[in-house]
Amino acid sequence: MAERYSSFAPGGTAWLLQRVTAAFLVVVLAYHFFLLHFVNHAWEITFGGTAARMENIGYFVTMILFLITATFHGVNGVYNALINQGLSGTPRKIVLGVLTIASLALIAQGIWVALVWRGMM
Amino acid sequence: MSQSYNRGLIEDFGRWKEFSAGMWAWIFHKFTGWMLIGYLFTHIAVLSTAIAGEQAYTNTLQGLEALFVVRLLEVGLLAVAVFHILNGIRLLMVDLGIGLEAQDKTFYASLIITGAITVASVPTFMTEVGF
Amino acid sequence: MYEHDVIVVGAGGAGLRAAIAAHEAGADVAMVTKLHPVRSHTGAAEGGINAALREGDDWELHAYDTMKGSDYLGDAPAIETLAKDAPEDTITLEHWGMPFSREDDGTVSQRPFGGLSFPRTTYAGAETGHHLLHVLYEQVVKRGIQVYNEWFVMNLAVTDEPDPNDRTCHGVVAYDVQSGTVEGFKANNGVIIATGGPGQAFDHTTNAVSCTGDGQAMAYRAGVPLEDMEFVQFHPTTLPSTGVLISEGVRGEGGILYNEDGERFMFEHGYANNDGELASRDVVSRAELTEVNEGRGVNDEYVHLDMRHLGSERILDRLENILHLAEDFEGVDGLVEPMPVKPGQHYEMGGIETDENGKTCVDGLYAAGECACVSVHGANRLGGNALPELVVFGKRAGYHAAGKDLGEAEIETGYSTDVEDETETELPITPGEAGIEPVSTSESVATDGSGQVAGGDALLEQAVGAERERVERLMEKESGTKHADIRSKLQNAMTRDVNVFREEEGLKRALKEIQECRELYQDVSVEDPSRTFNTDLQMTYETRNLIDVAETITLGALVRNEFRGAHWRLENQIRDDENWLKHTLISWNGGKPSIWYRPVILEGEDKTYEPKVRSY
Amino acid sequence: MSTQQQQPEEPETQESPVEGEPETESAPEPQQRRLERKRLGQAQREQAEAETEPEETKIHLKVFRYDPEVEAKQEPRFDDYYVPYERGMTVLDALIYARDEFDSSLTFRHSCRQAICGSDAFFVNGSQHLGCKTQLSELEQPVRIEPLPHQEVIKDLVVDMEHFYDQMHSVEPYMKQEDLPDGDLEEFRQSRENREKIKMSTRCIWCGACMSSCNIAAGDNQYLGPAAINKAYRFAMDEREDEEIKEHRLRIIEQEHGVWRCQTQFSCTEVCPKDIPLTEHIQELKREAVKKNLKFW
Ligand SMILES: Cc1cc2nc3c(=O)[nH]c(=O)nc-3n(C[C@H](O)[C@H](O)[C@H](O)COP(=O)(O)OP(=O)(O)OC[C@H]3O[C@@H](n4cnc5c(N)ncnc54)[C@H](O)[C@@H]3O)c2cc1C
Ligand code: HEM
Ligand code: SF4
Ligand code: F3S
Ligand code: FES
């Protein structure tokens, strides 16, 4: 019986994660936009300002999570859209590979930048 | 499904005039989603200038912000993001089975609110820019 | 050529049930149908399916009601089989998942229907037939029964011994509508015809465009008698503009009929002082037409059926589909206004003569469903009695064809010398005559007349060859009469003269016009040159079948000079038990159609039904 | 004796089409016509009909034509027909008229004329409709009638439904439990609530309109499609089926090309002639599937 339940259908997981990340993003994206466009104005942004915000560990972690969820959500969304248009077989595997690598690169790059702000790199 | 011959525009988007609310919402959501992920990549690229040093970062950002186009694009981004958020919330509700009968109304509401927020934010975005 | 043990022609309720039964009995069964099964007209049935399920009801009451409803023209063994088997077969449907309407305790709901002494019409909203059809199809899918979808059966492959009782059916010839190929289907054990009714012979009908009596016409041409064809049920409540049916369930739930003056005429004009609106269908149909004829019809055309007083909750719960039909096809909101209704052709009581096991006089040939006449409905079918007929006799035919022993049948089939021949009535035409292209016995029987065919394969091949030739002939003809014109001429004649009220003169006129249709048909041509999905060709075939069936209906109506059940005659407006307690049969014997009679069987298992005055 | 001659092709008694407002001026006029006709004999009646004909408005139909076998039709084209309008006329009526009067080779499926057989779903003026259930009065002219999109066209308005049937069959659309009554007629009880729950889903007439309207189904041939998922819903939600069977069903619908493909476009729900809340059913199944999976995490 056990293995019957353990095989969480991949379509289902992705679907669920897409919703969960969306719910998370609603909050964070709104916060992010508000903070950087209305509280602090975008044209006043300096390295120092950003670095100061990054000092706060809570903010830092939130931003990293923001990055990861947004990347997953966005890339998974794109991948899904392509599948819905009939992408299958080998091309599909290739697309999945490319998208995964691109996401990982994006996340890595983002984390690197964030660490720079924290003065850790 | 396959086709025995090409029916050209009859298929798919050739019939856009007949699309109902749900279809439009789907198309807009797709469109805005792709814009957002595109922006995310660009965004990180721009921010990466920080790696090259404090000054480079500040200059790049402020240089960009000084451009009118960038401001315009930012307003566009806001519109795109707001719509995606609002419609995303609508979709989450649909997933939970809430308010399915009103799905068209909530879509129109998303559009209107997006418009309102975008217009209201124009002054903020457009201050202190040249031209 | 395809080969199976049992071939079922038609995939409506009767065909599907037959296939399931044959499959259960271990046969390799295939269905050949001109429409995808779920498109069959069984899906249109609304009201319900009669079965004695409850405390206080029993099969004997059901049998009694049915016999009375039939105006004592039903055969007791058939009626009793129906009443006895219906409960189990209905509950079987329920176990297969049919979404019947439910009572609070979860048991299936039943409602009163016209002519029933107990509310035993089991229903699933006002779309019982839809659910029945889909549930049966689901079971066919479950069993993996082969369905040849959109194959039009053109003819039967029957041997040609001089006496139809000696003939054998070896299969059918069918035409793949999609590709245009004509192929033979060999049946090792039997062919079951389940092709439904011939409603398209009339032009105001509740029947589908595909209800063209194909099976009846094919069997008729192969020598099988058609029984009691003159008994055509006209349903009292059809929408005037389209013929779409408003179920008897509306009256069952308490709907009321009013004339233009707002009178509840069923009572106020004394048509049915006890049962009122729920009197038998023929009674209500005649009452409505009498009202209209006497100037009390709404717009001089129809009467009103009012269900508003039932309250929207009850209507929505039990008759929701009716609201949609009235709205979509008549533009009337049944919740706020009464619905216009008038009688329309609805059901053919007669059909291919069979016994209780669905067997015809030709070996290996069976029939079930509306196209058959086991004779449960006699002169008038009670509402809700056709669906149980489909499942009960469909099942029996399936079992029997697959070789299951169902015991000796009590009903006799086929012409024999000790029956009574029709001698009195003078016919204005010689039926089926006049160099008529479609009808001649030698046509239907695929051999040279020697009665000696080397096995089924050769016979089938000949039959296939004959049909291929016919197709060529029809397709090659450059120009000619359109089938549509012939069809509408036929329909007009039938609706004008072979309707609810019938008189000798009109019937004779109709026969002449049918004859004219035959003549026109000699010149018929198929305009569409394509082999792909040629509905022009298919409808040309169907029209020919309609002509044959319409002729038998009219002949029967002409010879039966009495008023019984659905059949009313101006010249003799009484039920004449003295002379007419007998079935009318029309068959091709020795090359020409003849009309003959067989007495009704009123002796049941342990009682004899005494003809009583049928009052409601 | 017969009074039934005022026959079907006479839908002027129809008051208001599907969702339209009742047109009020119509009431006295058909009645008058009828009364008049009643006084006339049958022959005159036909004559009168012929005379009034020229006044009648004509409906302009543009009908898609294609036949792989007939040379002139191998290249798809649109044919124009002008059909005399009668009150209450439906798209199907107009097509039948065009076929019977103008061109016998015009091909389309139809049977019941009452929205129950599901044969005549067409693409009318850019969306999916049942021909017999669509009033011409509600459509803009010219009325453009095409076969269902996203399906192989066999000829004219006839499309290949095999794929649709395959998808319907693939969800194992039948009651699974095997008990049958054996004489004592025990019913297989079902609560009213539960019947109510599955009621809408049992109404499907397999017309294929939903599938044809769904862009996802168009892109992904393996997507089960709204109708098949709805069929699965009908059984998955039936309380009479065992838990285990329900699990099995959820497994079928939550496969890759099952419910997850649905992007809630709602087109299916919009076009379904039986008003089945398809999107709602699909969404409910998604939640059921997630719930089932989460339980065992
Ligand atoms: C509107 C309406 C409402 C009704 N309501 C009720 C009711 O409430 N209760 C009740 O008991 N009865 C009712 N009836 C009667 C009952 O529904 C029918 O008598 C019954 O459904 C007929 O079923 P069938 O299986 O014999 O034929 P059908 O369901 O008509 O099936 C005929 C089958 O034969 C096939 N076929 C026909 N010709 C050919 C051919 N040449 N080659 C291949 N295949 C062919 C067709 O494709 C189809 O599959 C109603 C009838 C109508 C019209
Ligand atoms: C702010 C909150 C957000 C919400 C509520 C949200 C919601 C959603 C939802 C529910 C979907 C799934 C649609 C479906 O599968 O039917 C989706 C798709 C998508 N989202 Fe978001 N999203 C948000 C932010 C973002 C961000 C920040 C990005 C970009 C990085 C993004 C990119 C996408 C993309 C590309 C898709 C796929 C679109 C498609 O179907 O083609 N979203 N979103
Ligand atoms: S769900 Fe609706 S649209 Fe789809 S096939 Fe069934 S009836 Fe047609
Ligand atoms: S149109 Fe298609 S995407 Fe879903 S809601 Fe209907 S199945
Ligand atoms: S003709 Fe049957 S659904 Fe339209």
Side-chain angles (χ1 to χ4, degrees):
Chain A
M1 284 302 254
E3 91 283 353
R4 243 182 93 189
Y5 300 116
S6 61
S7 68
F8 196 120
T13 325
W15 181 85
L16 186 61
L17 286 178
Q18 184 80 352
R19 320 288 124 171
V20 172
T21 51
F24 176 73
L25 284 170
V26 175
V27 184
V28 187
L29 183 63
Y31 163 76
H32 178 71
F33 238 97
F34 198 68
L35 187 71
L36 292 175
H37 287 281
F38 296 88
V39 178
N40 305 291
H41 294 288
W43 61 90
E44 295 162 353
I45 286 178
T46 58
F47 185 89
T50 309
R53 280 192 289 278
M54 285 292 172
E55 281 307 306
N56 181 327
I57 180 75
Y59 184 79
F60 172 77
V61 171
T62 312
M63 284 302 114
I64 298 293
L65 275 178
F66 180 27
L67 175 66
I68 295 172
T69 48
T71 308
F72 171 81
H73 179 94
V75 171
N76 182 52
V78 165
Y79 179 59
N80 247 323
L82 293 176
I83 290 177
N84 286 335
Q85 288 315 304
L87 183 70
S88 62
T90 320
R92 172 170 165 177
K93 290 207 185 82
I94 297 172
V95 169
L96 180 61
V98 170
L99 286 177
T100 317
I101 292 166
S103 328
L104 290 177
L106 184 71
I107 293 171
Q109 178 80 11
I111 295 178
W112 184 16
V113 181
L115 290 175
V116 168
W117 272 314
R118 289 208 90 195
M120 291 164 74
M121 289 202 70
Chain B
M1 276 163 250
S2 54
Q3 205 66 60
S4 46
Y5 57 85
N6 185 6
R7 281 171 69 195
L9 287 180
I10 297 166
E11 297 286 329
D12 299 314
F13 299 99
R15 57 194 173 94
W16 60 272
K17 273 195 223 155
E18 302 295 334
F19 284 177
S20 48
M23 269 301 275
W24 282 120
W26 176 70
I27 291 168
F28 285 0
H29 199 80
K30 236 177 202 318
F31 177 73
T32 54
W34 285 68
M35 298 285 282
L36 287 173
I37 185 71
Y39 175 74
L40 183 61
F41 275 88
T42 329
H43 195 46
I44 297 294
V46 171
L47 298 184
S48 298
T49 51
I51 299 168
E54 292 189 23
Q55 211 44 50
Y57 176 74
T58 311
N59 288 348
T60 315
L61 274 197
Q62 297 198 339
L64 282 173
E65 287 296 326
L67 296 177
F68 182 74
V69 222
V70 172
R71 297 296 182 95
L72 217 56
L73 284 175
E74 273 184 344
V75 176
L77 179 68
L78 179 80
V80 161
V82 171
F83 176 81
H84 194 90
I85 294 180
L86 291 176
N87 194 57
I89 293 172
R90 169 179 167 274
L91 289 177
L92 290 177
M93 303 291 265
V94 167
D95 287 330
L96 294 173
I98 302 168
L100 283 160
E101 321 74 47
Q103 59 94 4
D104 44 351
K105 294 188 199 70
T106 47
F107 166 64
Y108 298 134
S110 309
L111 279 182
I112 293 168
I113 299 174
T114 305
I117 294 185
T118 311
V119 170
S121 68
V122 167
T124 324
F125 277 92
M126 289 303 173
T127 38
E128 294 199 28
V129 66
F131 301 83
Chain C
M1 190 162 61
Y2 300 91
E3 186 173 341
H4 295 276
D5 292 344
V6 175
I7 300 277
V8 182
V9 181
L16 292 165
R17 189 63 187 87
I20 294 168
H23 184 266
E24 256 174 46
D28 159 29
V29 50
M31 315 191 68
V32 186
T33 171
K34 67 178 178 183
L35 301 174
H36 185 276
V38 302
R39 319 265 176 243
S40 302
H41 205 53
T42 294
E46 295 165 9
I49 171 169
N50 293 341
L53 297 174
R54 293 282 171 264
E55 196 84 11
D57 195 6
D58 71 46
W59 71 264
E60 285 175 313
L61 286 173
H62 186 184
Y64 178 82
D65 291 343
T66 305
M67 183 56 100
K68 178 177 168 199
S70 80
D71 228 352
Y72 301 92
L73 203 70
D75 285 332
I79 289 178
E80 293 189 344
T81 306
L82 176 90
K84 265 190 268 182
D85 284 10
E88 185 174 327
D89 285 337
T90 305
I91 295 303
T92 301
L93 288 171
E94 195 240 16
H95 282 237
W96 283 340
M98 180 153 163
F100 283 113
S101 294
R102 299 282 166 172
E103 292 303 309
D104 287 333
D105 65 355
T107 54
V108 298
S109 300
Q110 296 194 301
R111 65 177 155 214
F113 237 44
L116 298 184
S117 56
F118 189 91
R120 71 171 75 86
T121 305
T122 321
Y123 62 97
E127 36 199 14
T128 314
H130 165 79
H131 294 309
L132 181 126
L133 182 66
H134 282 255
V135 158
L136 289 175
Y137 181 59
E138 284 160 17
Q139 293 299 314
V140 162
V141 172
K142 182 176 185 180
R143 289 164 172 73
I145 293 170
Q146 168 121 37
V147 178
Y148 295 92
N149 180 19
E150 292 186 335
W151 278 82
F152 178 82
V153 175
M154 317 164 109
N155 215 344
L156 307 170
V158 175
T159 57
D160 72 337
E161 287 80 359
D163 183 352
N165 296 336
D166 300 334
R167 294 179 186 165
T168 310
C169 180
H170 287 290
V172 303
V173 183
Y175 155 80
D176 180 2
V177 183
Q178 225 183 89
S179 73
T181 45
V182 176
E183 284 292 347
F185 287 78
K186 189 171 174 224
N188 297 325
N189 292 6
V191 169
I192 303 175
I193 303 179
T195 54
Q200 285 294 319
F202 293 80
D203 80 350
H204 189 83
T205 174
T206 61
N207 283 13
V209 177
S210 61
C211 295
T212 50
D214 299 348
Q216 292 169 342
M218 289 187 290
Y220 177 52
R221 290 195 296 261
V224 182
L226 294 187
E227 179 175 352
D228 291 337
M229 291 300 283
E230 64 271 31
F231 295 102
V232 179
Q233 179 165 81
F234 293 87
H235 197 287
T237 55
T238 71
L239 295 175
S241 52
T242 48
V244 166
L245 180 83
I246 296 301
S247 163
E248 186 160 329
V250 175
R251 283 169 292 140
E253 297 291 345
I256 296 176
L257 289 166
Y258 294 107
N259 62 18
E260 189 175 37
D261 306 332
E263 291 169 314
R264 190 174 180 181
F265 58 86
M266 289 310 294
F267 289 107
E268 291 182 40
H269 291 275
Y271 298 105
N273 288 325
N274 298 322
D275 291 6
E277 283 80 8
L278 275 179
S280 186
R281 289 180 178 172
D282 55 309
V283 176
V284 183
S285 282
R286 276 190 300 272
E288 288 176 2
L289 274 191
T290 307
E291 289 297 298
V292 173
N293 289 346
E294 291 178 1
R296 292 189 297 272
V298 185
N299 284 345
D300 269 321
E301 189 193 355
Y302 48 81
V303 296
H304 275 146
L305 174 60
D306 197 345
M307 61 176 182
R308 291 172 294 181
H309 57 283
L310 301 178
S312 61
E313 196 184 320
R314 178 138 158 227
I315 294 175
L316 283 170
D317 182 36
R318 305 184 182 188
L319 299 164
E320 189 186 337
N321 186 41
I322 299 300
L323 290 177
H324 296 302
L325 292 176
E327 179 73 41
D328 293 344
F329 300 102
E330 201 67 45
V332 167
D333 182 349
L335 288 177
V336 301
E337 53 197 320
M339 300 173 283
V341 292
K342 75 176 198 182
Q345 192 283 343
H346 182 55
Y347 186 87
E348 172 61 60
M349 265 78 72
I352 303 166
E353 185 205 39
T354 70
D355 63 23
E356 312 92 285
N357 300 330
K359 223 181 128 337
T360 70
C361 66
V362 168
D363 214 33
L365 186 62
Y366 297 77
E370 186 169 341
C371 66
C373 181
V374 215
S375 205
V376 284
H377 308 309
N380 174 59
R381 174 179 73 96
L382 291 182
N385 257 358
L387 296 182
E389 182 194 9
L390 304 184
V391 289
V392 168
F393 293 103
K395 178 191 72 180
R396 295 178 73 89
Y399 279 152
H400 200 274
K404 192 164 166 166
D405 184 15
L406 296 176
E408 197 59 31
E410 284 175 53
I411 297 173
E412 249 185 286
T413 55
Y415 182 82
S416 63
T417 42
D418 56 355
V419 300
E420 175 195 348
D421 283 305
E422 161 65 34
T423 47
E424 281 177 17
T425 319
E426 188 196 320
L427 303 180
I429 55 152
T430 314
E433 217 211 29
I436 284 102
E437 194 269 338
V439 167
S440 79
T441 29
S442 61
E443 266 262 354
S444 62
V445 179
T447 62
D448 55 6
S450 62
Q452 301 293 313
V453 203
D457 287 359
L459 174 74
L460 205 58
E461 250 155 54
Q462 276 182 51
V464 170
E467 292 309 315
R468 285 192 180 140
E469 240 171 70
R470 183 198 305 281
V471 171
E472 288 312 317
R473 202 164 62 228
L474 287 170
M475 303 269 295
E476 269 166 24
K477 200 160 173 343
E478 280 299 312
S479 67
T481 315
K482 280 199 221 179
H483 68 78
D485 297 339
I486 304 174
R487 196 183 279 209
S488 68
K489 180 180 164 73
L490 182 78
Q491 292 174 335
N492 286 333
M494 294 298 284
T495 303
R496 189 188 60 225
D497 290 324
V498 199
N499 215 303
V500 176
F501 293 116
R502 298 165 172 178
E503 52 186 301
E504 188 176 333
E505 201 188 320
L507 292 167
K508 287 187 167 164
R509 180 171 52 204
L511 278 174
K512 287 201 193 101
E513 284 197 29
I514 294 168
Q515 182 87 334
E516 284 165 30
C517 289
R518 278 191 191 290
E519 277 154 21
L520 282 173
Y521 195 89
Q522 283 180 280
D523 181 45
V524 80
S525 79
V526 174
E527 269 177 35
D528 190 346
S530 176
R531 292 278 160 177
T532 308
F533 226 94
N534 192 333
T535 49
D536 196 9
L537 175 64
Q538 182 183 334
M539 292 181 83
T540 303
Y541 259 85
E542 290 171 348
T543 300
R544 164 189 181 227
N545 292 333
L546 281 174
I547 296 175
D548 285 346
V549 173
E551 189 171 80
T552 60
I553 294 173
T554 315
L555 282 173
L558 181 62
V559 295
R560 184 177 288 272
N561 187 15
E562 66 156 346
F563 164 29
R564 183 182 300 272
H567 173 68
W568 182 95
R569 274 292 293 271
L570 177 73
E571 293 78 16
N572 193 11
Q573 301 180 24
I574 50 152
R575 188 176 86 192
D576 186 351
D577 287 343
E578 189 86 14
N579 296 306
W580 287 101
L581 264 182
K582 58 191 182 190
H583 300 293
T584 323
L585 292 116
I586 306 182
S587 64
W588 288 85
N589 300 321
K592 70 180 197 24
S594 66
I595 303 172
W596 43 283
Y597 303 101
R598 194 198 298 286
V600 177
I601 308 175
L602 293 175
E603 295 81 40
E605 200 174 65
D606 39 38
K607 70 163 171 289
T608 296
Y609 297 83
E610 279 305 323
K612 294 205 185 81
V613 178
R614 198 167 63 106
S615 67
Y616 287 98
Chain D
M1 231 26 229
S2 154
T3 50
Q4 282 214 307
Q5 296 93 329
Q6 299 93 328
Q7 279 320 315
E9 313 284 81
E10 198 194 58
E12 75 267 40
T13 45
Q14 209 138 330
E15 296 302 337
S16 84
V18 191
E19 286 136 33
E21 262 74 76
E23 283 156 63
T24 37
E25 21 79 319
S26 65
E29 199 231 330
Q31 183 177 352
Q32 259 173 14
R33 244 199 287 165
R34 248 191 308 272
L35 285 173
E36 209 180 300
R37 241 182 293 169
K38 224 207 149 188
R39 269 181 260 117
L40 300 166
Q42 168 75 9
Q44 288 153 306
R45 197 172 298 169
E46 269 158 21
Q47 209 185 343
E49 230 157 52
E51 274 162 17
T52 53
E53 209 155 294
E55 297 162 24
E56 267 163 337
T57 40
K58 302 245 178 187
I59 293 270
H60 181 188
L61 303 183
K62 277 181 108 55
V63 184
F64 180 93
R65 305 301 303 274
Y66 167 79
D67 187 327
E69 253 187 275
V70 177
E71 213 175 320
K73 284 166 79 185
Q74 273 164 358
E75 193 53 43
R77 61 165 203 243
F78 279 89
D79 279 358
D80 298 271
Y81 300 108
Y82 296 87
V83 173
Y85 179 69
E86 292 184 53
R87 275 188 72 77
M89 203 172 196
T90 61
V91 168
L92 180 65
D93 294 334
L95 283 172
I96 291 178
Y97 188 95
R99 180 195 63 201
D100 288 352
E101 303 294 324
F102 306 138
D103 181 356
S104 320
S105 70
L106 177 57
T107 307
F108 47 93
R109 289 195 184 96
H110 66 300
S111 182
C112 68
R113 324 166 340 282
Q114 54 179 89
I116 196 69
C117 74
S119 322
D120 63 340
F122 306 129
F123 194 52
V124 182
N125 279 0
S127 60
Q128 288 75 4
H129 290 279
L130 276 190
C132 58
K133 205 187 163 205
T134 307
Q135 295 285 324
L136 286 170
S137 58
E138 289 185 353
L139 299 169
E140 255 174 60
Q141 288 203 50
V143 178
R144 212 177 140 94
I145 309 171
E146 298 162 67
L148 289 181
H150 309 312
Q151 267 145 298
E152 190 102 33
V153 178
I154 295 175
K155 174 176 171 185
D156 293 354
L157 301 176
V158 177
V159 294
D160 189 352
M161 296 287 284
E162 278 320 306
H163 178 66
F164 177 81
Y165 297 145
D166 286 348
Q167 300 303 70
M168 292 301 268
H169 294 168
S170 72
V171 299
E172 305 184 6
Y174 35 77
M175 204 78 167
K176 290 263 190 169
Q177 60 81 39
E178 301 281 345
D179 302 336
L180 282 182
D182 49 355
D184 56 353
L185 293 186
E186 220 9 82
E187 279 156 62
F188 195 13
R189 298 187 185 207
Q190 180 185 25
S191 69
R192 270 167 177 272
E193 297 71 44
N194 189 249
R195 174 175 186 271
E196 206 53 37
K197 183 165 182 63
I198 62 164
K199 185 171 102 183
M200 292 308 280
S201 66
T202 60
R203 282 196 176 169
C204 174
I205 56 175
W206 296 45
C207 69
C210 51
M211 186 87 152
S212 167
S213 78
C214 175
N215 277 58
I216 305 303
D220 178 2
N221 234 343
Q222 283 165 276
Y223 175 39
L224 290 175
I229 297 177
N230 175 67
K231 193 84 186 164
Y233 177 95
R234 178 252 170 280
F235 290 103
M237 295 299 164
D238 195 313
E239 68 186 8
R240 295 174 295 171
E241 291 270 52
D242 296 344
E243 253 326 288
E244 225 169 283
I245 296 171
K246 180 170 174 177
E247 297 258 333
H248 173 74
R249 271 185 210 290
L250 286 176
R251 216 136 275 286
I252 296 174
I253 55 99
E254 66 155 2
Q255 51 165 302
E256 258 253 42
H257 298 277
V259 287
W260 312 117
R261 285 278 83 85
C262 170
Q263 305 282 300
T264 58
Q265 284 182 358
F266 284 96
S267 330
C268 53
T269 309
E270 301 265 338
V271 300
C272 175
K274 289 285 151 185
D275 298 328
I276 303 170
L278 294 164
T279 316
E280 192 175 324
H281 288 167
I282 299 172
Q283 294 301 80
E284 192 173 341
L285 285 178
K286 285 181 191 166
R287 292 196 299 276
E288 283 291 312
V290 167
K291 255 193 271 169
K292 182 201 76 182
N293 285 318
L294 285 181
K295 249 191 318 206
F296 294 90
W297 258 14

